[in-house]
Amino acid sequence: MSTSPLADLAQQTTELLAAIAALSTLDALRDAEASLTGKRSPLAALQKSLGALEPATRKTAGAELQEARRIVETALEERRADLRREARRSSLETDRLDLGDVIPSDVHWPLAAGHPGLVSLTQRELEDVFVGMGFTVADGPEVESDWYNFEALNIPPAHPARGLWDTFYIDLGEPETVVLRTHTSPTQIHLMERAVATDSLPIHSVMPGRCFRRDTPDASHLYSFHQIEGLVVDRGITFGDLAGVIETFTRAYFGPDISSRLRPGYFPFTEPSAEFEVTCTICRGAGCRTCSSTGWLELGGCGMLDPAVLAAVGIDGEQWSGFAFGFGIDRCAQMRHELSDMRALIENDVRFLGQFS
Ligand code: DAH
């Protein structure tokens, strides 16, 4: 009678368990895995040899072998878990960051958290007011071609209205003239073009953003400032709708004792056009130095969309009409918070910015 192939199973199991206990790193465990429990292990070799046994002996031998394998595999998994825990503990130890080396000792706790600046806060408030009135908010590029900034807005190359905008021209060596946008009005053109292309008129949108003019900064002018543009294109829109939107906005943003008025004005892209004024926020309409004793402060421009603008973007002026408006976000912040000098908005002095959180 031949000796059972499992004669040294107990001995082999003990050796495997000792080898597992001796593994000292996860890498070593990974390298040894195949020879401990995998295809190259003594247990796998024994498994093969079972084939030569009588069916009855094979069954009991198979069960014994399976039990040995379970013991070895459990030991290996426990060792793996131990080594993982150990590796984690030692990496926490070695990777520990001693902030005492990084933060100077004279920092005053708690550290102050930053917050959006006054212009961003004002922009958000203005957006909120218009969203509450049913407008959506859209964005447009700060760098525009001459066509978007001027021509599509009915301002051809030699038009005297170009003189109103002291423009930064960009020389990209292209045949087309490129400018830093002088107002947010070109975003109207982008929105109308998109609505025509996607057959998605009407439009009720406001478009806030940064604009640029070659102005020397003074108390009420900046070379980089912000405007918010409004555009409505729909059926049967009248000047009364425009005046209503302006008045509703004025009271919602400045408060119930400030109202608006429209004075005839001129803009090439609207007909008729108006200057949009609000009650002087300093003297509340009584007349003071800031409003040149008129009781009113000019905030922006507005008007009914000029048929030439609708034609430039391919909108049928017989079916659709609309209005637009645009005014300064920085100017709103100045009026609302009675800032004597707009330059404070771009000087990044935390003593100023920290007052508006
Ligand atoms: N874009 C004009 C400016 O910057 C302001 C303006 C006037 C915008 C009339 C409009 C408008 O949408 O209809 O001076």
Side-chain angles (χ1 to χ4, degrees):
M1 187 183 126
S2 63
T3 48
S4 157
L6 298 191
D8 339 308
L9 182 60
Q11 172 66 20
Q12 273 172 342
T13 306
T14 312
E15 279 168 20
L16 285 170
L17 293 177
I20 289 171
L23 293 169
S24 58
T25 64
L26 279 171
D27 282 344
L29 184 146
R30 236 168 274 129
D31 292 344
E33 205 166 348
S35 61
L36 293 170
T37 55
K39 284 200 190 104
R40 283 184 278 122
S41 71
L43 298 179
L46 288 176
Q47 184 77 40
K48 267 188 214 139
S49 67
L50 292 187
L53 298 178
E54 300 286 316
T57 355
R58 198 191 309 153
K59 198 163 170 222
T60 34
E64 254 177 79
L65 187 57
Q66 212 171 339
E67 175 60 10
R69 178 181 281 284
R70 194 191 58 77
I71 291 170
V72 174
E73 280 175 356
T74 308
L76 186 73
E77 287 320 309
E78 278 172 5
R79 188 72 191 131
R80 195 196 312 270
D82 285 348
L83 290 173
R84 277 209 181 117
R85 249 191 311 274
E86 227 164 90
R88 199 174 133 63
R89 195 167 38 85
S90 85
S91 85
L92 279 179
E93 197 63 30
T94 50
D95 298 347
R96 215 181 95 213
L97 191 59
D98 185 355
L99 293 178
D101 293 344
V102 186
I103 300 183
S105 56
D106 59 355
V107 160
H108 300 293
W109 299 96
L111 276 176
H115 61 78
L118 180 55
V119 176
S120 305
L121 292 171
T122 306
Q123 179 176 324
R124 286 182 197 179
E125 267 181 71
L126 294 170
E127 286 174 11
D128 281 352
V129 170
F130 284 110
V131 167
M133 292 165 71
F135 286 79
T136 57
V137 180
D139 220 0
E142 290 175 3
V143 182
E144 290 283 14
S145 65
D146 186 90
W147 193 79
Y148 282 99
N149 198 79
F150 295 121
E151 281 198 51
L153 290 162
N154 201 27
I155 315 170
H159 198 286
R162 289 202 181 210
L164 296 174
W165 291 287
D166 234 337
T167 314
F168 283 113
Y169 288 90
I170 298 184
D171 182 6
L172 295 178
E174 288 180 16
E176 198 176 22
T177 309
V178 175
V179 300
L180 293 184
R181 67 175 173 191
T182 57
H183 49 179
T184 43
S185 302
T187 311
Q188 288 184 34
I189 304 297
H190 289 288
L191 284 201
M192 288 190 278
E193 281 182 340
R194 205 175 311 146
V196 168
T198 56
D199 200 14
S200 57
L201 285 170
I203 300 171
H204 308 89
S205 291
V206 289
M207 298 143 264
R210 184 185 288 256
C211 308
F212 308 84
R213 290 185 198 173
R214 219 166 50 81
D215 274 335
T216 305
D218 63 26
S220 53
H221 293 89
L222 301 172
Y223 51 80
S224 165
F225 55 97
H226 302 78
Q227 288 188 339
I228 185 162
E229 190 81 13
L231 174 69
V232 168
V233 183
D234 208 334
R235 294 177 201 273
I237 297 293
T238 69
F239 201 92
D241 296 313
L242 166 59
V245 163
I246 297 280
E247 178 65 7
T248 309
F249 155 74
T250 302
R251 289 174 182 274
Y253 180 72
F254 290 104
D257 56 336
I258 302 289
S259 60
S260 65
R261 73 171 186 184
L262 301 179
R263 271 197 313 127
Y266 171 75
F267 295 98
F269 32 93
T270 43
E271 180 60 36
S273 302
E275 313 264 355
F276 148 29
E277 299 184 336
V278 302
T279 317
C280 175
T281 50
I282 307 293
C283 63
R284 307 268 140 180
C288 67
R289 218 159 47 98
T290 307
C291 60
S292 311
S293 307
T294 61
W296 296 93
L297 289 175
E298 190 191 321
L299 190 60
C302 59
M304 303 306 289
L305 296 182
D306 193 293
V309 174
L310 293 175
V313 294
I315 291 180
D316 178 0
E318 294 295 318
Q319 277 199 53
W320 302 95
S321 57
F323 62 78
F325 56 84
F327 56 90
I329 295 176
D330 317 76
R331 184 122 178 82
C332 283
Q334 182 181 33
M335 286 165 65
R336 175 86 164 258
H337 299 284
E338 300 180 16
L339 309 180
S340 55
D341 194 324
M342 276 229 260
R343 285 170 289 195
L345 294 172
I346 53 170
E347 280 167 352
N348 290 333
D349 184 333
V350 291
R351 289 167 301 181
F352 170 77
L353 296 171
Q355 295 174 49
F356 310 97
S357 56

